[in-house]
Amino acid sequence: MSTPPPRALLYGDVDLNIIDGSAIWAQSMAQALAAAGCEVTLLLKAPVRTDRLTEPLTRVPGVRLLHPHEDKALPDLEPRGLTPEQAVTLMTRYHERRAFDLVVVRGRRLAGLAAQEEALAGRLWTYLTDFPHSVGELSATATTELTEIALASRFLLCQTEELRAFLEASVPAACGRSVLFPPVVVVPEDARADGEAHARARMAYTGKFAPRWNTLEMTELPAELARRGVDAELVMIGDKIHAEPADWARRMRRALEDTPEVDWRGGMSRADALRQAAECGFGLSWRDPSMDASLEMSTKVLELGALGLPVVLNRTPMHETMLGADYPLFAGADVSSVAEVVARAHNDRAVYADAAARCRDAAADHTLERAAERLRGYLTEALPPAPAGADPDRPLKVVVAGHDMKFFTRLAEYLDSLPGLDVRMDEWEGLSTHDQYRSRELAGWADVVICEWCGPNALFYAKWKRPDQRLIVRLHRFELYAEWPRKLDIDKVDAVVCVSPHYADLTRELTGWPADKVVVMPNWVDDEQLDRPKLSGVEYSMGMVGIAPSRKRLDRGLDVLSELRRMDPRYTLSVKTKQPWEYWWVWNRPEERAYFERVYRRIQRDDLLASGVVFDPFGPDVATWLRRVGFMLSTSDDESFHLAPAECAASGGVPALLPWPGADTIYDPHWIHDDAVAMAESIHATVSEGRFAAEAERARGEVTKAYGLGRVRSLWSDLVVRGKTPDQAEQSTARADA
């Protein structure tokens, strides 16, 4: 029996009668969701007064439009359109009639209200734009609201990497949920510029007319170019003129209607606007400098670039990344600077062709096909197929029990998303503190129990285990040397999971448990989330994650940095960590306190280290932080797995380890060095010989093959659903091959 297509409900707090970037987003998102295989229901905000944007959607298979005003879906609907409260009421009502698999929303106020609806929680795919884009503007209220939105959303769709980085650094709940969804560009097949500079410099602007969009200043361009001997015309397409301030609106309309060589063509369909823009020689997306800090990408730049037009725009870090720092059509803050770059490109065919090619290349990753490909990946993540052996009609009942779920939460969420599994959490308040009645009830209900940590939780569930029930215990370094494993009735346990071969061997040796019951299931690395572009100069940046307690050996990391800075002062060390005094159990031990006082004093007093060490706050925004880390150091006395080097490798960096026990059973010996000096020499050789990119690519391939999230999830679903334990010989081979 074929699987029905995912059902998507789409609503943006935007009026599709007015052609601007947000309305274009709604149209493009509907097209992209349909192209990705969804059955799309688009709820319209306002009565249809012009079908320039909606009519093309009626011809897209799989897209259905809801007209709440025409259908009188609610009493007292205003002609201006649905309020956010009314929209959420209707979305919830439609969802209750026939459930949607995903609910895509745009608008901060709307998303905040939708996040309060239990029926929509977990199904929201929230497209974030209208929130503060700087730390100074991000109030406590806004942070709380964004946190609530993040927690209720399956995905937060971010236009740009810059926006995602800011969001994750400001709102910890966004980490792991934020994914890229850049603007979508749909250009008619018959709308293409000829790529040539014409005898007359015709410039195209499409969109709304607003003060910060510099549309009034643009009308001065033909005269300014004429003073430079360039015959020019400005074509302006659009009919939305901002009403405030009133004096500006009057001047804008007068300029559109009365300025010589300004051709105002009014509003029209998106396709027609692009066709007419394609007949021009330049595109304009020049804005007030106050918008330079925006973390959003202009759809206009991409649309005009896709036509083959060179676009005049502001110089910003985002635009430099997109087009190159030497892009020839970056303009300054005044009209004369715009005229200057247009005149230069108009008179120099090589400059014109270079700018047009860069804009066309930048738009190539924003096609409808590329957007649909992204969405298909996110749909697979959010709506995975049923695993082999699972029956959606008779779900397998799974309990996950433990006092600290930070290492297992993502796996639990994945198991819960699988058709055919019903997952419930038994979160203990402490190692031995829990609701005994609830735990007993869950023990009687479950088909499979997973105990995260081999502690009192494992003893409890082993005591109440039924013969027809399976019990899986995941054992960490912490409890291996405690008394709980010795008290555990191993006959009641079906599998003890360790994250590395070394600790699996130690477990067998210390406990005497049957060898076949102790299996290796490695930690996972979220390779998709970590795969982000590195920042410039990253090969000179090393990182460490977590430096407490002292056995993490920050002092050895400083030894490496000191050696490197003798060779090249550009090397730095970024340490993402809680400080040792934030752990009472560390800071209360005199030997620990003495160690850290000694190490920190060394940083202060050593000239090679004082300006080379940066401490970054501990938090879940590791993927963003890793964008500026090239090498991840692992200098510990002992680790059970040490995920940080693997995460760095998945992010496009290079792991560097000292030989702690078992390191060579997790990482290729290629990344393991005899001592701090050898590690520093290897890092410097990699950088100075230009091998960083090749080494990073090798590391990424090894880590994703062995520890990629998809592979580890598959191992866990096999264990939970079918009781299939991984073949340890195959595991060893996979690591060796990687």
Side-chain angles (χ1 to χ4, degrees):
M1 186 174 72
S2 61
T3 303
R7 301 190 69 246
L9 175 61
L10 170 62
Y11 182 78
D13 194 19
V14 295
D15 187 346
L16 267 67
N17 295 293
I18 300 170
I19 296 183
D20 61 10
S22 55
I24 296 299
W25 169 86
Q27 185 192 57
S28 299
M29 181 60 81
Q31 293 170 309
L33 286 166
C38 290
E39 178 185 295
V40 184
T41 299
L42 172 61
L43 175 63
L44 299 178
K45 174 185 174 71
V48 176
R49 295 185 294 275
T50 171
D51 64 357
R52 292 178 301 204
L53 288 176
T54 56
E55 190 279 331
L57 292 176
T58 63
R59 294 182 272 108
V60 177
V63 175
R64 177 171 69 107
L65 304 184
L66 291 179
H67 301 262
H69 288 77
E70 291 85 340
D71 298 340
K72 296 181 172 54
L74 288 173
D76 304 323
L77 291 180
E78 295 290 336
R80 288 179 299 178
L82 300 175
T83 65
E85 291 80 3
Q86 290 171 330
V88 171
T89 296
L90 286 176
M91 287 191 293
T92 305
R93 183 178 298 177
Y94 294 134
H95 174 67
E96 289 172 348
R97 289 176 184 171
R98 187 182 171 201
F100 291 95
D101 298 298
L102 57 151
V103 179
V104 184
V105 296
R106 172 173 176 157
R108 178 174 147 195
R109 170 68 178 155
L110 172 80
L113 292 169
Q116 306 303 316
E117 294 293 331
E118 186 176 349
L120 303 180
R123 300 174 188 268
L124 293 175
W125 291 29
T126 305
Y127 189 84
L128 285 173
T129 55
D130 53 341
F131 68 94
H133 288 187
S134 70
V135 173
E137 297 173 346
L138 195 63
S139 66
T141 300
T143 302
T144 299
E145 183 182 28
L146 289 169
T147 298
E148 292 174 350
I149 292 171
L151 292 173
S153 299
R154 181 61 184 86
F155 290 122
L156 298 170
L157 305 178
C158 301
Q159 269 198 8
T160 63
E161 193 63 67
E162 290 80 4
L163 189 150
R164 175 161 69 163
F166 175 75
L167 182 65
E168 290 182 341
S170 306
V171 183
C175 298
R177 293 177 168 88
S178 302
V179 297
L180 284 184
F181 192 76
V184 183
V185 175
V186 183
V187 175
E189 289 296 327
D190 59 345
R192 292 290 187 277
D194 57 18
E196 297 290 334
H198 304 151
R200 191 176 210 204
R202 299 181 72 208
M203 299 163 288
Y205 173 82
T206 65
K208 61 188 173 186
F209 302 101
R212 293 203 299 163
W213 272 250
N214 281 347
T215 50
L216 182 57
E217 290 80 0
M218 287 178 191
T219 61
E220 302 172 22
L221 281 170
E224 190 70 29
L225 281 161
R227 284 192 280 273
R228 288 169 168 75
V230 177
D231 181 24
E233 179 185 18
L234 174 62
V235 174
M236 304 194 87
I237 301 171
D239 56 6
K240 179 182 179 181
I241 301 176
H242 272 220
E244 298 295 336
D247 179 61
W248 183 92
R250 285 193 296 272
R251 288 190 293 133
M252 184 73 247
R253 180 172 289 276
R254 190 181 307 117
L256 288 169
E257 294 173 341
D258 300 337
T259 306
E261 309 306 335
V262 172
D263 182 2
W264 181 30
R265 300 184 180 179
M268 61 187 69
S269 72
R270 182 186 186 188
D272 286 343
L274 291 172
R275 291 188 185 97
Q276 295 196 24
E279 296 172 356
C280 298
F282 294 88
L284 293 177
S285 186
W286 171 60
R287 297 178 176 180
D288 187 88
S290 65
M291 299 186 70
D292 287 353
S294 172
L295 301 178
E296 297 178 33
M297 186 180 296
S298 170
T299 304
K300 188 180 297 131
V301 173
L302 300 171
E303 285 184 334
L304 295 170
L307 296 175
L309 293 177
V311 185
V312 180
L313 70 169
N314 302 47
R315 179 185 292 277
T316 69
M318 186 189 306
H319 291 156
E320 287 188 348
T321 299
M322 184 167 64
L323 299 169
D326 59 345
Y327 177 70
L329 293 185
F330 285 138
D334 55 19
V335 173
S336 64
S337 69
V338 178
E340 188 67 35
V341 297
V342 171
R344 179 188 171 210
H346 179 74
N347 294 323
D348 189 326
R349 292 184 178 276
V351 171
Y352 183 94
D354 175 48
R358 294 197 198 195
C359 290
R360 188 166 47 247
D361 291 345
D365 196 40
H366 299 268
T367 63
L368 181 63
E369 293 75 18
R370 183 70 184 93
E373 180 185 338
R374 284 191 181 94
L375 288 173
R376 281 191 288 269
Y378 301 150
L379 287 165
T380 300
E381 173 77 8
L383 306 168
D391 182 357
D393 294 326
R394 300 182 63 185
L396 186 71
K397 293 172 285 190
V398 180
V399 168
V400 181
H403 74 285
D404 181 355
M405 299 293 189
K406 64 176 176 286
F407 298 123
F408 203 80
T409 299
R410 290 292 300 280
L411 287 173
E413 290 174 347
Y414 171 72
L415 294 172
D416 191 38
S417 72
L418 293 174
L421 270 69
D422 183 357
V423 178
R424 299 184 185 179
M425 306 297 289
D426 182 12
E427 296 197 45
W428 291 30
E429 294 181 22
L431 271 167
S432 302
T433 308
H434 66 119
D435 183 339
Q436 296 189 35
Y437 296 103
R438 172 170 168 76
S439 297
R440 181 69 183 87
E441 180 183 351
L442 290 173
W445 172 82
D447 298 313
V448 179
V449 175
I450 303 170
C451 284
E452 170 67 342
W453 307 92
C454 183
N457 58 328
L459 303 184
F460 177 90
Y461 277 95
K463 174 183 177 181
W464 293 106
K465 184 195 174 188
R466 303 189 313 270
D468 63 332
Q469 199 175 51
R470 283 187 289 117
L471 175 59
I472 301 166
V473 177
R474 198 161 83 129
L475 185 148
H476 301 253
R477 178 187 183 279
F478 162 72
E479 60 269 40
L480 180 57
Y481 297 96
E483 74 275 10
W484 304 300
R486 294 193 297 273
K487 296 179 180 179
L488 181 64
D489 184 352
I490 194 61
D491 293 335
K492 298 285 188 70
V493 180
D494 294 272
V496 175
V497 175
C498 299
V499 296
S500 72
H502 175 69
Y503 270 85
D505 290 340
L506 274 179
T507 298
R508 297 184 187 104
E509 177 185 335
L510 294 173
T511 63
W513 291 340
D516 59 348
K517 283 201 175 185
V518 181
V519 299
V520 176
M521 301 273 276
N523 280 329
W524 49 267
V525 175
D526 195 342
D527 43 314
E528 293 292 333
Q529 273 284 325
L530 291 166
D531 186 10
R532 307 186 185 192
K534 291 286 190 182
L535 300 182
S536 176
V538 74
E539 63 270 25
Y540 292 98
S541 175
M542 298 174 296
M544 294 182 74
V545 177
I547 48 90
S550 60
R551 64 180 177 81
K552 296 289 187 176
R553 298 303 298 270
L554 173 59
D555 60 303
R556 290 174 178 165
L558 298 178
D559 292 343
V560 176
L561 177 64
S562 183
E563 290 291 330
L564 283 168
R565 285 176 70 84
R566 287 190 183 95
M567 304 178 208
D568 192 318
R570 286 177 288 181
Y571 288 107
T572 59
L573 174 64
S574 296
V575 185
K576 188 172 183 62
T577 185
K578 284 185 178 181
Q579 294 298 341
W581 49 84
E582 296 181 69
Y583 297 100
W584 65 266
W585 55 274
V586 172
W587 204 239
N588 284 349
R589 295 170 61 186
E591 67 275 17
E592 289 286 331
R593 185 179 298 201
Y595 168 84
F596 284 107
E597 288 175 346
R598 185 169 61 253
V599 169
Y600 280 30
R601 193 176 298 115
R602 175 185 173 190
I603 295 172
Q604 291 177 323
R605 295 179 178 179
D606 188 330
D607 291 340
L608 283 173
L609 300 177
S611 60
V613 180
V614 176
F615 285 93
D616 295 309
F618 180 81
D621 57 329
V622 173
T624 293
W625 178 75
L626 282 171
R627 292 186 66 203
R628 57 182 175 88
V629 174
F631 293 87
M632 181 61 68
L633 308 189
S634 177
T635 57
S636 306
D637 290 331
D638 178 44
E639 293 282 355
S640 60
F641 187 93
H642 207 188
L643 193 60
E647 289 180 328
C648 183
S651 78
V654 178
L657 299 92
L658 293 182
W660 39 263
D664 59 348
T665 68
I666 301 170
Y667 294 98
D668 189 305
H670 178 74
W671 314 114
I672 302 173
H673 310 282
D674 291 337
D675 52 37
V677 173
M679 182 184 286
E681 290 174 346
S682 175
I683 289 172
H684 185 61
T686 298
V687 175
S688 61
E689 295 169 11
R691 294 187 286 109
F692 177 79
E695 290 286 272
E697 189 59 32
R698 171 178 172 174
R700 191 206 301 269
E702 292 178 1
V703 163
T704 53
K705 181 177 180 180
Y707 309 124
L709 183 57
R711 178 174 183 269
V712 177
R713 282 174 170 174
S714 178
L715 293 174
W716 271 98
S717 64
D718 283 346
L719 178 61
V720 172
V721 175
R722 295 187 289 157
K724 180 180 182 294
T725 58
D727 184 287
Q728 302 306 298
E730 289 180 8
Q731 293 278 78
S732 299
T733 302
R735 283 189 298 275
D737 290 345

